[in-house]
Amino acid sequence: MSKLSLIVGLGNPGSEYAQTRHNAGFWFVERLADQYGIQLKTDSKYKGISGRGNIEGQDVRLLLPTTFMNLSGQSVVPFAKFYQIQPEEILIAHDELDMNPGVIRLKTGGGHGGHNGLRDIVPHIGANFHRLRIGIGHPGAKEKVSGHVLSRAPSSEQTLMDDAIHHALSKIDLLVNGEIQQAMNQINAYKP
């Protein structure tokens, strides 16, 4: 039973992207940092913003890559290697097109599912990490995906996503202490 040592949020850097759907992973980690008083600072060595703190009795590092989504591996991979963090000790929070806003799922392993951030990480550390998938909904057509993920959600959808993230944060004690199956049962049962 591996406890979590690293929680990564995927997104794009810069204020113009801060409120866009693709940054759902950032939202999760930023709220987590706020909740536990963990200061996030620019970490130029690892092309990201990182912090370290005590979450429910565990020493956990937080990382937000600032490389842009499709280059997330350039931040996550060297960071995990330097701190000798194994894939099973990593949780990566990211937006998920194939789930509606308000749906949130925890899973371990699997492919990148077409997610550009994961696509840049999996080949380097393997797929054996945990993912917190935050539903953002699908625009219906492939050619609309880019505009969809890089735009803001209407407030009704944003509220659903915020509530789902809030629910996942309420299970963080299970997550960081390695009770992954229990966390999965409780997070995945969430109904918006």
Side-chain angles (χ1 to χ4, degrees), residues 60-134:
V60 180
R61 293 178 190 276
L62 305 178
L63 177 65
L64 301 173
T66 51
T67 53
F68 285 98
M69 184 66 88
N70 56 349
L71 300 174
S72 299
Q74 293 182 5
S75 172
V76 177
V77 176
F79 190 94
K81 286 207 161 92
F82 181 81
Y83 292 110
Q84 299 182 322
I85 299 169
Q86 301 307 310
E88 55 273 16
E89 300 170 309
I90 301 173
L91 173 70
I92 297 183
H94 64 88
D95 58 308
E96 179 60 69
L97 276 167
D98 296 328
M99 297 180 341
N100 288 329
V103 178
I104 195 155
R105 294 281 184 271
L106 179 67
K107 73 177 269 195
T108 302
H112 56 66
H115 192 284
N116 288 335
L118 296 180
R119 182 177 290 170
D120 198 52
I121 296 168
V122 172
H124 306 286
I125 66 167
N128 202 23
F129 53 90
H130 310 289
R131 304 107 192 272
L132 184 69
R133 302 156 67 214
I134 303 162

Side-chain angles (χ1 to χ4, degrees), residues 23-45:
N23 277 35
F26 273 17
W27 305 338
F28 176 78
V29 171
E30 287 162 353
R31 282 180 212 161
L32 182 62
D34 281 349
Q35 194 172 314
Y36 289 92
I38 298 172
Q39 206 179 351
L40 296 171
K41 299 191 191 88
T42 300
D43 190 341
S44 50
K45 186 177 177 190

